[in-house]
Amino acid sequence: MPAFLAGSDIVVCLLPLTPETHVILGADLFSRLPIGAELVHCGSGAHLNSDAVLASLHSGQVASAMLDLTNPESLPDDHSFWPHPGVILTPHVASVTDFEEGAAFCARAIEAYLNRSPIPGLVNKKQRY
């Protein structure tokens, strides 16, 4: 991981939340990035150490952070992310759902349920994602 991070100008976090990924976006990870790296976070709010993000932004280690999830979620009105020029906040909508695609997925899931077939998209409880 250290060599991978050292060569990463942009880190995109889409990880599932597991015990191993809890608060993975913290000071240790940011310190291993090249100076001026950027963060795009669309995983889980619990991946994020907000204080470490702010410290990395203030030091210049991280140039910007685009956050679809925050910690805490919902972000308090007085949180430092709101006015920070290096932070872009999106409203927890990492992607836009195509209505036809979403409806077709739901229909497949209902059909699988009624047929006692494996339901697509279920979380594997052993893997935790």
Side-chain angles (χ1 to χ4, degrees):
M1 182 75 107
F4 172 76
L5 292 171
S8 300
D9 293 324
I10 300 172
V11 171
V12 178
C13 181
L14 300 170
L15 295 168
L17 182 60
T18 67
E20 295 80 19
T21 64
H22 186 264
V23 195
I24 193 170
L25 299 174
D28 182 58
L29 184 141
F30 299 137
S31 71
R32 297 175 187 276
L33 295 170
I35 292 174
E38 300 182 86
L39 171 66
V40 176
H41 178 46
C42 300
S44 166
H47 288 135
L48 194 65
N49 178 326
S50 296
D51 292 336
V53 172
L54 289 165
S56 296
L57 288 164
H58 289 145
S59 73
Q61 182 67 39
V62 172
S64 68
M66 180 177 282
L67 308 174
D68 193 55
L69 287 281
T70 59
N71 187 7
E73 177 88 30
S74 296
L75 204 55
D77 291 342
D78 62 346
H79 197 279
S80 298
F81 282 157
W82 289 115
H84 199 289
V87 175
I88 297 168
L89 295 167
T90 57
H92 200 154
V93 291
S95 67
V96 176
T97 300
D98 175 276
F99 293 115
E100 289 180 20
E101 181 182 332
F105 181 83
C106 287
R108 287 192 305 275
I110 292 168
E111 182 178 19
Y113 174 79
L114 293 173
N115 292 328
R116 300 184 190 277
S117 300
I119 298 171
L122 289 183
V123 169
N124 180 320
K125 291 181 182 181
K126 288 183 182 179
Q127 289 181 304
R128 301 183 57 105
Y129 62 88

